[in-house]
Amino acid sequence: MPGGRLTQQDRQRIAAGLADGLSYAEIARRLNRPTSTISREVGRNGGPGGYRPQQAHHATAQRARRGTPAPPRAAGASGGTMAEEIVELAVRSGMPRMTARVHADLLLSEDGRRTAAELTRRLKVSPASVSVAVNFLVQQGFARRERDPQRRRDIYVVDDDAWYHSVVISARTTLEAAQAAMAAAQRFGLDGPVGQRLAKGGTFLERVVLDMMESAERWRTLLA
């Protein structure tokens, strides 16, 4: 029942949803539960990266028998909370959840550097999932790839300049879309409603993006 306690099968489905990169809202919809139920369940049982359905079910049963509330967060757990907040913000902006988890782990690392093996171990996910995530981050400028020649492995890095590169790459992609819209407007004809609509939208996007790129270049010194 939607208002009843989560079953072990429910928890297994939550774990599967997290592994697939689903949002709390989507997992809740599939279980016919409130989103708050899912977020509390995951938050009190290890967070998105450490949720284990059997352990969560056992811990909940233990708390119910003792009649005690969920245990307080351990010292140092604030980093986990911050990571979860960064992930949720990124997901809401359109980034895939697994990619957002990898990005958050890189951002919150001491030196902004992780190997694929470290990301796999820390996030408890498959190497293939990490590979897809880091490739996206590199393509979009959120991270860069370094090669360790001695150990023949890649190292993924988030440095200060990543903010600049991510803005510029996004802006260039939007600029291409704006130019494509203006070219299509010419083909449809500027005297018709479709051509006018495309021309106005393309011109607006072009002006905004060019301003954004100029601003990014002007303020890049803040990252030095």
Side-chain angles (χ1 to χ4, degrees):
M1 296 294 291
R5 291 181 177 177
L6 291 170
T7 66
Q8 189 163 7
Q9 184 180 15
D10 290 335
R11 292 186 166 93
Q12 289 171 348
R13 292 176 66 186
I14 290 173
L18 292 172
D20 289 341
L22 300 181
S23 66
Y24 291 158
E26 177 60 20
I27 295 172
R29 187 187 66 78
R30 295 187 179 192
L31 293 179
N32 194 24
R33 302 273 184 166
T35 302
S36 58
T37 298
I38 305 303
S39 61
R40 283 197 303 269
E41 168 68 16
V42 175
R44 70 175 52 164
N45 291 294
Y51 185 79
R52 298 293 178 269
Q54 291 183 341
Q55 296 176 6
H57 194 71
H58 178 73
T60 302
Q62 289 284 80
R63 289 194 294 267
R65 283 196 292 270
R66 292 196 303 265
T68 55
R73 291 183 181 271
S78 59
T81 302
M82 178 62 68
E84 292 170 17
E85 292 176 357
I86 292 173
V87 169
E88 291 305 318
L89 286 170
V91 170
R92 287 202 294 273
S93 71
M95 183 179 287
R97 181 170 293 277
M98 180 55 63
T99 304
R101 290 180 60 198
V102 171
H103 192 213
D105 195 68
L106 281 169
L107 282 173
L108 298 180
S109 62
E110 188 68 23
D111 57 358
R113 303 166 66 89
R114 297 270 195 234
T115 65
E118 289 172 335
L119 290 166
T120 298
R121 184 179 65 253
R122 289 177 54 81
L123 300 178
K124 297 181 175 63
V125 295
S126 69
S129 297
V130 169
S131 178
V132 171
V134 293
N135 283 340
F136 178 92
L137 292 173
V138 170
Q139 290 170 1
Q140 299 301 315
F142 292 107
R144 60 183 173 85
R145 183 186 283 108
E146 289 184 357
R147 186 68 177 172
D148 183 349
Q150 295 182 338
R151 303 184 65 177
R152 297 182 180 179
R153 63 180 183 176
D154 287 333
I155 302 173
Y156 300 99
V157 183
V158 171
D159 56 17
D160 293 336
D161 238 17
W163 303 106
Y164 170 80
H165 290 301
S166 63
V167 168
V168 170
I169 290 174
S170 175
R172 286 174 179 168
T173 301
T174 305
L175 183 59
E176 290 175 2
Q179 293 170 343
M182 290 188 289
Q186 294 290 339
R187 290 197 297 271
F188 276 97
L190 298 179
D191 55 345
V194 176
Q196 292 175 7
R197 185 183 310 121
L198 291 172
K200 289 177 181 178
T203 301
F204 170 79
L205 287 176
E206 182 185 52
R207 300 291 173 81
V208 169
V209 168
L210 290 176
D211 282 351
M212 183 184 299
M213 295 174 71
E214 181 182 345
S215 180
E217 191 65 42
R218 183 169 66 252
W219 296 111
R220 189 177 183 181
T221 54
L222 292 175
L223 300 172

